[in-house]
């Protein structure tokens, strides 16, 4: 099945969907059958408050679960439960104004082109240390969730690769203010590239790596120079500020703010946020004591 995504900021070349599907043993027919199975399963979940979803939303969730229908079921169940108990993370009413301070002192955006591995490249850059005085960490988590929610509907990629530029800040501020209790939103991370000349970055990694599984920890890489970054990520994928040939971070972020603040996107957020659960209607045999929440979550993994 060919999927044409016409969003300005998410370029998906023709044939990309087929390439990614083939990685997980799918073609158009098998993918349609898999989505059919998910749709039937959703109808039978008495505890789900929303059971109807666009087929492309279900398809990208299957791809995000490496083609496993059972893992997709578990991920959706967990996601809907999280929306219910952590509502503050999923409420997007006015992104332009709600995240005004965040956007004024940092860049958080997806680059338009996919990498050669069909990963979506995400760039985070903090502009000066005033970030830590202006922006609560909740805003950072929320905007990342907004992006991933949007990607699940309108993008087609095989995971994410993140570049974090810490060159303009005192990295010790991050260590001092890390909130290890709040949690974000699961996504398949193929690599995390940190740009910093500070030796304190090693202390930061020692603090955050216990929060991730060993497979993801192995994907962290620190770059002391842009040249080091260019050895693993092509310059035509990167913005000007990172020595790339793409547009500036400000230009790209301004477009993202317009897109995420649009009437169409706001309507999508409102509709998808209805996907919550009523635990009173969940079947007793689905309870998971390990997670502390009911649901079939035991098989979840970062990748």
């Amino acid at each position: 099945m060919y999927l044409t995504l016409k969003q300005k900021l998410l370029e998906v070349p023709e044939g990309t969907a087929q390439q990614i599907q083939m990685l997980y043993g799918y073609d158009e027919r098998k993918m349609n059958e898999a989505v059919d199975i998910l749709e039937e399963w959703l109808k039978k979940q008495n505890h789900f408050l929303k059971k109807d979803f666009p087929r492309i939303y279900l398809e990208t969730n299957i791809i995000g679960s490496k083609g496993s229908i059972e893992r997709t079921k578990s991920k959706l169940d967990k996601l809907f439960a999280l929306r219910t108990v952590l509502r503050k993370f999923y409420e997007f009413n006015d992104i332009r104004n709600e995240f005004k301070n965040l956007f004024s002192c940092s860049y958080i955006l997806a680059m338009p082109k996919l990498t050669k591995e069909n990963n979506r490249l995400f760039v985070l850059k903090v502009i000066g240390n005033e970030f830590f005085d202006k922006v609560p960490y909740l805003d950072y988590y929320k905007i990342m969730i907004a992006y991933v929610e949007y990607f699940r509907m309108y993008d087609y990629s095989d995971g994410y690769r993140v570049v974090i530029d810490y060159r303009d800040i005192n990295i010790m501020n991050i260590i001092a203010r890390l909130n290890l209790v709040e949690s974000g939103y699961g996504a398949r991370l193929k690599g995390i590239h940190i740009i910093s000349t500070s030796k304190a970055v090693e202390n930061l990694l020692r603090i955050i790596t216990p929060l991730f599984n060993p497979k993801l920890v192995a994907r962290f890489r620190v770059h002391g120079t842009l040249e080091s970054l260019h050895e693993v990520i092509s310059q035509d994928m990167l913005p000007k500020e990172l020595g790339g040939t793409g547009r500036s971070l400000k230009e790209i972020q301004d477009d993202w703010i317009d897109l995420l603040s649009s009437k169409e996107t706001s309507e999508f957020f409102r509709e998808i946020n209805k996907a919550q659960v009523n635990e009173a209607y969940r079947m007793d045999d689905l309870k998971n004591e390990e997670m502390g929440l009911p649901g079939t979550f035991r098989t979840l993994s970062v990748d």
Side-chain angles (χ1 to χ4, degrees), residues 123-250:
V123 176
L124 294 82
K125 179 179 175 62
V126 177
I127 311 170
N129 292 296
E130 66 271 16
F131 170 83
F132 302 99
D133 297 321
K134 288 184 177 181
V135 182
Y137 258 74
L138 176 59
D139 283 2
Y140 166 78
Y141 291 124
K142 285 187 64 174
I143 195 62
M144 293 297 291
I145 290 172
Y147 270 112
V148 176
E149 290 275 43
Y150 188 84
F151 295 159
R152 287 178 184 272
M153 183 64 190
Y154 297 108
D155 196 16
Y156 213 108
S157 67
D158 187 30
Y160 306 95
R161 194 171 294 272
V162 182
V163 176
I164 307 174
D165 186 357
Y166 283 152
R167 291 176 297 169
D168 295 338
I169 65 168
N170 178 357
I171 205 164
M172 291 305 297
N173 277 334
I174 297 175
I175 297 174
R177 294 167 184 261
L178 274 177
N179 186 332
L180 304 183
V181 177
E182 300 282 13
S183 60
Y185 189 102
R188 289 182 60 206
L189 298 176
K190 297 292 189 175
I192 299 177
H193 302 267
I194 300 175
I195 309 172
S196 177
T197 58
S198 172
K199 294 181 180 180
V201 72
E202 297 178 1
N203 295 328
L204 174 63
L205 290 178
R206 276 195 292 269
I207 292 175
I208 66 175
T209 51
L211 303 176
F212 305 102
N213 68 25
K215 182 184 291 187
L216 183 58
V217 170
R219 295 174 184 173
F220 278 88
R221 181 167 177 178
V222 178
H223 303 273
T225 65
L226 291 179
E227 289 73 19
S228 173
L229 177 67
H230 299 160
E231 292 176 4
V232 291
I233 299 180
S234 174
Q235 289 175 264
D236 65 348
M237 306 297 307
L238 296 167
K240 293 178 180 178
E241 290 87 343
L242 299 182
T245 60
R247 294 192 298 159
S248 71
L249 289 170
K250 184 179 186 310

